[in-house]
Amino acid sequence: MSTDGARTYVRRMTFPVRIGVQLQPQHADYAQIRDAVRRAEDLGVDVIFNWDHFFPLSGDPDGKHFECWTMLAAWAEQTERVEIGALVTCNSYRNPELLADMARTVDHISGGRLILGIGAGWFEKDYDEFGYEFGTAGSRIADLADALPRIKARWAASNPAPTREIPILIGGGGERKTLRVVAEHAHAWHSFGDAPTLTRKSAILDEHGAAVGRDTATLVERSVAVSAPPAEQAAAFLDAGATLLTVGTSGPDYDLSLAAQWVAWRDAQR
């Protein structure tokens, strides 16, 4: 599938450029997390994410940490404008029907601002400590592929139904299996890596899209993490087709200075 400038331009025109912040729920008291959510929304970000783990991923491995979905419900009440979600939910930790109902409930609490970010799972300590079967990368991706139709079916059967078609964001970069699942089910795909990696894997995603009959170039938003100022990363990621750019920050302080630079850059594009 072509990755020339015309194809990239279509993607960039299909989705508005948005800035996210991932407030990593580690090494902080909840009051500090709540304050960071307030500051992030006031700053003007478009999406506030957390993540779905049970232990910190950096720093003290047994440091302070909080659960993802109970937190998202609190954020749904606290915030007014931003979309919220996990970057990303681990499919292994909840029955798909239960997860669907949790997502539908948070969708209603938030007035239709939930993004269901989801992935196959990878952090073995979570599995071991909480009693989940770790399996293999292949079995976890297969479970994700099986779960997504079940989630959609539960939404369709729910009363009340979700307030909108809840956007599904899938994180992961496996070229043969994960990107196939993205092509079949996702509204957005979160890529891990630099702009050349995004460009190359976007082309593979579009090939999967052609195989399953979806125009993923125009139907699947490209999402990526950014870790440097816009002057260093923005042009390359835009040229690669990314339109959702997310800054990660950890507790206890939740420094939003880099996110502020990206918000200012976004506003200058409009």
Side-chain angles (χ1 to χ4, degrees), residues 26-175:
Q26 58 180 8
H27 308 308
D29 294 323
Y30 189 73
Q32 294 169 305
I33 297 173
R34 183 174 57 240
D35 177 68
V37 172
R38 176 192 59 78
R39 290 188 287 119
E41 185 166 48
D42 289 348
L43 181 64
V45 302
D46 299 289
V47 188
I48 304 177
F49 293 108
N50 59 9
W51 66 28
D52 189 20
H53 295 287
F54 303 124
F55 300 94
L57 297 187
S58 62
D60 179 358
D62 294 311
K64 295 177 181 178
H65 200 280
F66 289 98
E67 194 274 330
C68 169
W69 275 90
T70 45
M71 183 180 298
L72 288 176
W75 290 6
E77 284 284 8
Q78 177 185 347
T79 57
E80 297 180 355
R81 176 189 56 80
V82 292
E83 290 188 290
I84 58 174
L87 193 63
V88 288
T89 300
C90 177
N91 175 66
S92 305
Y93 300 161
R94 300 162 192 88
N95 169 279
E97 286 75 16
L98 172 61
L99 178 60
D101 210 37
M102 293 166 62
R104 177 189 65 103
T105 300
V106 175
D107 166 67
H108 276 268
I109 295 170
S110 67
R113 293 182 288 114
L114 177 74
I115 297 170
L116 177 58
I118 192 166
W122 64 274
F123 190 43
E124 191 168 3
K125 181 177 179 178
D126 283 347
Y127 287 79
D128 292 345
E129 293 283 345
F130 276 69
Y132 298 106
E133 182 180 350
F134 189 57
T136 65
S139 69
R140 294 191 300 275
I141 295 169
D143 287 344
L144 175 63
D146 176 68
L148 288 165
R150 292 170 59 183
I151 289 169
K152 293 177 181 179
R154 176 50 51 190
W155 285 339
S158 296
N159 183 15
T163 66
R164 63 172 179 168
E165 182 180 5
I166 297 175
I168 295 173
L169 178 154
I170 296 177
E175 297 175 7

Side-chain angles (χ1 to χ4, degrees), residues 108-264:
H108 276 268
I109 295 170
S110 67
R113 293 182 288 114
L114 177 74
I115 297 170
L116 177 58
I118 192 166
W122 64 274
F123 190 43
E124 191 168 3
K125 181 177 179 178
D126 283 347
Y127 287 79
D128 292 345
E129 293 283 345
F130 276 69
Y132 298 106
E133 182 180 350
F134 189 57
T136 65
S139 69
R140 294 191 300 275
I141 295 169
D143 287 344
L144 175 63
D146 176 68
L148 288 165
R150 292 170 59 183
I151 289 169
K152 293 177 181 179
R154 176 50 51 190
W155 285 339
S158 296
N159 183 15
T163 66
R164 63 172 179 168
E165 182 180 5
I166 297 175
I168 295 173
L169 178 154
I170 296 177
E175 297 175 7
R176 186 168 63 89
K177 295 181 179 179
T178 301
L179 292 182
R180 179 77 173 207
V181 178
V182 173
E184 292 176 338
H185 297 288
H187 301 86
W189 164 56
H190 186 76
S191 172
F192 300 91
D194 57 15
T197 299
L198 175 60
T199 298
R200 181 176 61 80
K201 294 195 175 190
S202 281
I204 296 169
L205 173 57
D206 290 344
E207 291 172 358
H208 284 299
V212 301
R214 287 187 77 210
D215 182 7
T216 53
T218 58
L219 295 177
V220 180
E221 183 176 20
R222 271 57 169 179
S223 167
V224 71
V226 293
S227 57
E232 298 179 26
Q233 291 188 314
F237 277 129
L238 280 186
D239 286 344
T243 53
L244 176 54
L245 305 117
T246 297
V247 178
T249 182
S250 179
D253 297 327
Y254 293 108
D255 181 358
L256 297 179
S257 57
L258 182 58
Q261 294 181 53
W262 280 94
V263 168

